[in-house]
Amino acid sequence: MTTKVLLDCDTGCDDTLAILYAALHPNIELVGIGAVWGNVTADIAARNSAHTVAMLGKSHIPVAKGAEGPITGRPAEFAYHVHGDDGQGTVGDKKFVARLAAESAAAQIVRLTRADPGEIELIAVGPMTNIALALALEPELPRLVRGITIMGGAALAPGNVTPAAEANIWCDPEAAAAVFNAPWRLRMVGLDVTMRTLLTEADRQQLLNSDGSIARYVGRMLDFYFAFFTQNAFGERSSCMHDALAVAIGADILVPTLAPKVSVVVDTSDGPARGQTICDLRGQYRGYPEQDGAHCEVILESDPGFARHVVAAVCAAGNSALTDGVSAL
Ligand code: BDR
Ligand code: CA
């Protein structure tokens, strides 16, 4: 079974892997990509997304640029220290020139879902600004999509920007609140599972030693990303695989082993819990009985070995279709 996926990302290192995984998987039809601010500017995110599909020879997948900052107009903060100045671990292809869609990412979401009602899984792996803008443009959006899956939030795990908040929610809590409150089936792939789905140095060496230039590019890109996680999280060379995990779960390729459907509230206060996803897990002692009106599936457990599938897919991707830059490396 093939799932149509519309991906919205702030394309840094792990988003790049998510795009590669989605574009390569035989059971996914990637119908479009939206670029949002977050790890990097929306301009850089759009360029990196376009570059990623161009390496695969799939530039027919439209990439639309979206929001440049939070929906409230508060200042944007970026994560260059995690993903590098270019969002590609500082090894990005400087020669690449991106050709982007003429519409905004929010307009693209509305157009594609109106044209194919009930068929497209929206998968958002950056701040949720573009999705909130699309909801404002088309209030029927929850009925037009198959469902939405987000990488973001944390139910029981600590945050990764503040003690309470995960980055994608922290960047734009008001947009995230609009997304969580909309009446659609929402899957939350948060830090509870993504902090346990790791790429190892052995994976990176496998990428670097691959016959294909795309895998070697990814192996080089991950060097910078690994340095961040070594110093700030794990104490050894490795990284999380946040965004690709959301793609696999959103497209029903990876079925989580524990995902209760519960109510979730996003903290939009200016207190210490700003950006927290407060998940009602009080039913855990009774096997999570149904909660009235709950529509969020909070992923609490999934296969921690999932990263091996992504590495295998990227290693099998072959050589870049670009005639200069990446393919020459
Ligand atoms: C999320 O924040 C970004 O840095 C990553 O790309 C991921 O989407 C993890 O908190
Ligand atoms: Ca991301």
Side-chain angles (χ1 to χ4, degrees), residues 13 58 76 107 120 122 133 145-146 148 151 156 196 200-201 216 239 291:
C13 298
K58 297 190 179 207
I120 295 175
L122 200 49
L133 290 170
V145 299
R146 187 187 87 138
I148 179 167
M151 187 284 131
L156 299 169
R196 297 184 187 283
T200 64
E201 182 61 22
R216 294 198 301 273
S239 79
Q291 289 176 18

Side-chain angles (χ1 to χ4, degrees), residues 9-13 15-16 19-20 33 35 39-55 63 80 83-89 91-93 96 98 100 217 221:
C9 29
D10 56 336
T11 310
C13 298
D15 307 74
T16 301
I19 295 171
L20 287 170
I33 300 173
N39 291 326
V40 292
T41 63
D43 278 309
I44 298 175
R47 184 178 185 281
N48 290 341
S49 301
H51 174 259
T52 306
V53 291
M55 281 199 295
V63 176
Y80 298 116
H83 299 269
D85 284 350
D86 59 358
Q88 300 285 277
V91 305
D93 176 3
F96 178 72
L100 303 178
Y217 173 80
M221 176 189 77

Side-chain angles (χ1 to χ4, degrees), residues 10 14-15 39 83 125 151 160 166-168 191 225 242-243:
D10 56 336
D14 63 319
D15 307 74
N39 291 326
H83 299 269
V125 298
M151 187 284 131
N160 60 357
E166 179 279 331
N168 288 340
L191 298 178
Y225 198 53
H242 300 292
D243 293 348

Side-chain angles (χ1 to χ4, degrees), residues 247-261:
V247 171
I249 291 174
D252 295 324
I253 292 160
L254 181 65
V255 178
T257 42
L258 183 61
K261 191 186 282 186

Side-chain angles (χ1 to χ4, degrees), residues 236-251:
E236 61 182 61
R237 286 193 52 81
S238 56
S239 79
C240 298
M241 185 172 274
H242 300 292
D243 293 348
L245 185 64
V247 171
I249 291 174

Side-chain angles (χ1 to χ4, degrees), residues 63-90:
V63 176
K65 190 186 133 184
E68 299 185 351
I71 205 153
T72 53
R74 291 187 190 210
E77 287 169 22
F78 304 103
Y80 298 116
H81 60 296
V82 184
H83 299 269
D85 284 350
D86 59 358
Q88 300 285 277
T90 72

